[in-house]
Amino acid sequence: GLARIQENGRFGLEFIRRDVRMAGFWECYRDADLTNHISPGSANYIDFDAVHITGTNGLEHNEPDEPDEPDSITFLGAGRNVGTLSSDMTAPDSALNVSSTDDFAIEEAVLISDCETADIFRVTAVDHPANEITTDELSKAYAAGSRLYRVQQTTFCIAEFADPAQRSLRQLVNPISGQTCGKEHGDDLVEGIENMQILMGEDTDADSEGAGGD
């Protein structure tokens, strides 16, 4: 039983570690001009310009028969590289010819960047035979070699498992409007995890350039 607890704890931390390392990543240059073309009125809109790491603070109870309410944590950033531009765009509103369309789906959010400028856009069409994806007008016509990444908001929380007698670590990726991580929304990752308490620190040293500091 102890070995199983330790194993589940390691699995849970590994899942979270992968996403926390990518939080706030918007390709190779952190100060690149980033434009979000996804309309705030769309059902799958996520405020990609918001804080890259946020969380909720659960309640602590002192009674033994009343367990603590766990925290949750949300990470925002560009994830896995899903393609590269194979040729120059002819105009900001032209189709994007990519190395492969296997990892693209209609309505998903994608980041394109050339390390100077970056655009977040919604995929409106995918032409698999032509290896092209279509979107709304971007801020400029990108050159061949620009890289594309899947953009995602990922929340980890503790919620009731399929077996109501125990909880599990759950993950909710890119929720649509009104969805929150919990029993009704998200995917079970590791069963038997009862609680998650997160201590956050903020770098307030202006001279540290985002690394270390107070």
Side-chain angles (χ1 to χ4, degrees):
L2 179 58
R4 183 65 179 273
I5 290 174
Q6 292 175 332
E7 181 181 58
N8 284 359
R10 285 194 295 268
F11 279 137
L13 289 173
E14 176 63 20
F15 280 120
I16 295 174
R17 182 188 67 84
R18 295 175 185 176
D19 283 279
V20 73
R21 293 181 65 182
M22 301 302 293
F25 170 67
W26 299 115
E27 230 273 298
C28 53
Y29 180 43
R30 63 178 294 178
D31 293 324
D33 293 330
L34 176 64
T35 304
N36 185 1
H37 297 275
I38 299 179
S39 171
S42 61
N44 59 350
Y45 173 75
I46 296 172
D47 187 3
F48 296 115
D49 299 322
V51 179
H52 304 140
I53 301 178
T54 56
T56 62
N57 187 28
L59 299 176
E60 296 183 10
H61 302 290
N62 296 322
E63 300 298 327
D65 59 343
E66 193 173 6
D68 291 343
E69 296 180 23
D71 298 342
S72 71
I73 192 164
T74 299
F75 305 116
L76 189 63
R80 185 170 61 88
N81 175 225
V82 291
T84 304
L85 275 191
S86 302
S87 60
D88 295 348
M89 294 176 63
T90 57
D93 59 350
S94 65
L96 286 72
N97 188 272
V98 294
S99 52
S100 172
T101 55
D102 292 344
D103 291 322
F104 293 93
I106 295 175
E107 294 297 329
E108 77 172 341
V110 174
L111 169 81
I112 183 170
S113 175
D114 59 4
C115 291
E116 294 181 357
T117 307
D119 284 79
I120 295 173
F121 63 87
R122 176 179 60 94
V123 177
T124 57
V126 180
D127 186 340
H128 294 290
N131 276 343
E132 287 185 347
I133 61 173
T134 305
T135 183
D136 301 321
E137 184 174 353
L138 302 180
S139 62
K140 72 176 186 179
Y142 282 85
S146 299
R147 299 173 69 86
L148 294 94
Y149 296 83
R150 178 170 289 115
V151 179
Q152 60 188 38
Q153 172 182 299
T154 305
T155 299
F156 293 92
C157 67
I158 306 297
E160 188 177 295
F161 186 56
D163 176 5
Q166 63 176 324
R167 292 176 169 181
S168 68
L169 176 67
R170 293 180 66 85
Q171 179 190 54
L172 178 63
V173 179
N174 287 354
I176 64 173
S177 179
Q179 288 186 342
T180 57
C181 184
K183 179 182 178 182
E184 301 298 329
H185 304 293
D187 299 309
D188 283 307
L189 296 179
V190 186
E191 64 182 63
I193 295 184
E194 295 291 326
N195 203 345
M196 176 173 65
Q197 298 296 319
I198 298 168
L199 180 63
M200 295 190 183
E202 180 181 1
D203 181 3
T204 59
D205 185 352
D207 297 329
S208 67
E209 297 182 353
D214 296 335

